[in-house]
Amino acid sequence: MGNAIPCVFGPGEIESAPMQKQQADTIESWFDAYVTGFYNDDTFANANWKMKEDHSRRVCGEMVRLAGALGLDAARKQLARVIGLLHDVGRFEQFARYRTYSDPRSVSHGPLGVEIIGRHNVLKALDPAEARIIEEAVGCHGLLAIPPQLTGDELFFAKMIRDADKLDVYRVVAAYYTNYKKDPASFPLEIELPDEPRCSPHVVENVLAGRQTDYSTLRTLSDMIVIQLGWVYDIHFAATVRRIDQLGLLDRIMDLLPHTEQIERVSQSIRAYIKQRIAREG
């Protein structure tokens, strides 16, 4: 199972009141009602909210799948399920207020999500330790790196949601950018950066070196796609790497990029990394 971790919880953490399916169902019902409240007669906004709603539900499913691959028990699968469902809850208000999903041009959606969860008392029925795990995972899932102070349960589930989120973003990128390239004029969603046939040198070099890149320095759509490809170096569990490879997502995304020498270096590096990681961790 590679680097699977069947249990990392210590005494006095969530053992005293493990999450039940009914509690997770109640949170999902709240999510359904909350998201439904955003839809209106604005076709552009509705398309963007639908994209995030669908993404949230798929990430929820990927969290449950990953929890199974890691051997987590039923209660922890419910915890993973809730984190997956709520991880992007800040996106809906973000788009309503700013009409963009760009954090640098609006507000950081992770902390906004934590604020919304608190504002609506979504976790009031949960054990405080479970609530803290969920809030930390939601708050840090979109950061360049996991905050160093996280340990134990909070660190473990933060790693899980970052993996599941990246996996589904790859799926979204492959599908949506393909549709955009076919007919940019009628594409119904926000494209945050200019679609130019170039990639900034610092983006390519950072990805090749395994370094993070500040999103505010991105200049083109190709920059964004290359950065997203580089997320594979930040995947924590071998089960996630295997699933990304099995779905063929990275090859589909690479085909969307300009065929330049720099981009080819990135593609070769990423393919070699995936092959080595799977061979090493199974």
Side-chain angles (χ1 to χ4, degrees):
M1 196 175 291
N3 59 349
I5 304 175
C7 180
V8 299
F9 303 98
E13 292 185 325
I14 72 167
E15 264 50 1
S16 60
M19 183 180 291
Q20 302 298 311
K21 182 178 183 300
Q22 183 177 0
Q23 292 173 304
D25 288 346
T26 298
I27 293 171
E28 183 165 2
S29 294
W30 172 84
F31 178 83
D32 293 344
Y34 177 75
V35 172
T36 299
F38 282 91
Y39 290 103
N40 53 42
D41 58 358
D42 185 333
T43 303
F44 175 68
N46 288 344
N48 279 277
W49 285 321
K50 185 68 165 71
M51 177 182 68
K52 287 302 178 183
E53 179 183 359
D54 291 347
H55 167 67
S56 297
R57 297 187 190 284
R58 288 194 304 267
V59 171
C60 177
E62 292 295 345
M63 284 289 279
V64 173
R65 181 191 295 271
L66 181 55
L70 298 177
L72 302 190
D73 63 24
R76 295 182 176 96
K77 284 182 181 179
Q78 295 302 324
L79 184 55
R81 170 191 167 194
V82 167
I83 291 170
L85 192 66
L86 297 181
H87 82 285
D88 258 359
V89 72
R91 288 298 199 184
F92 302 94
E93 184 171 318
Q94 179 189 37
F95 200 87
R97 287 161 56 181
Y98 301 100
R99 291 185 74 81
T100 183
Y101 287 131
S102 171
D103 285 9
R105 291 194 282 119
S106 59
V107 64
S108 182
H109 72 281
L112 177 59
V114 175
E115 177 190 327
I116 291 165
I117 289 169
R119 188 192 309 159
H120 291 267
N121 295 313
V122 178
L123 310 180
K124 63 182 178 181
L126 300 186
D127 179 276
E130 286 184 324
R132 187 177 66 251
I133 291 166
I134 294 168
E135 290 170 345
E136 291 289 359
V138 170
C140 80
H141 80 275
L143 300 179
L144 286 179
I146 296 175
Q149 69 269 21
L150 294 191
T151 59
D153 310 342
E154 295 169 11
L155 176 61
F156 180 71
F157 280 97
K159 289 179 177 180
M160 282 188 69
I161 187 57
R162 288 167 71 89
D163 269 24
D165 188 32
K166 287 180 175 67
L167 190 157
D168 194 66
V169 169
Y170 282 143
R171 182 187 284 116
V172 171
V173 167
Y176 281 77
Y177 285 174
T178 296
N179 291 336
Y180 167 74
K181 293 288 187 179
K182 289 178 181 176
D183 188 3
S186 62
F187 190 69
L189 300 170
E190 178 195 26
I191 297 295
E192 298 175 8
L193 295 164
D195 183 13
E196 300 176 4
R198 64 182 179 88
C199 190
S200 301
H202 77 281
V203 170
V204 172
E205 293 307 319
N206 282 348
V207 170
L208 288 173
R211 294 190 298 263
Q212 301 286 354
T213 300
D214 187 336
Y215 286 9
S216 67
T217 68
L218 305 186
R219 296 292 176 262
T220 69
L221 182 59
S222 293
D223 283 353
M224 176 63 78
I225 296 175
V226 168
I227 287 298
Q228 290 166 334
L229 287 172
W231 288 349
V232 73
Y233 298 120
D234 192 39
I235 295 294
H236 297 281
F237 299 103
T240 311
V241 176
R242 288 197 304 273
R243 183 152 170 77
I244 290 170
D245 186 57
Q246 289 165 359
L247 294 173
L249 296 174
L250 297 189
D251 283 333
R252 290 174 60 192
I253 295 170
M254 289 174 193
D255 288 342
L256 301 172
L257 290 165
H259 297 290
T260 67
E261 181 179 347
Q262 285 182 314
I263 298 301
E264 184 58 29
R265 288 170 61 204
V266 171
S267 299
Q268 290 178 356
S269 176
I270 287 173
R271 289 189 176 101
Y273 173 79
I274 291 173
K275 184 176 180 179
Q276 293 167 3
R277 181 97 185 257
I278 292 174
R280 182 174 70 248
E281 300 180 33

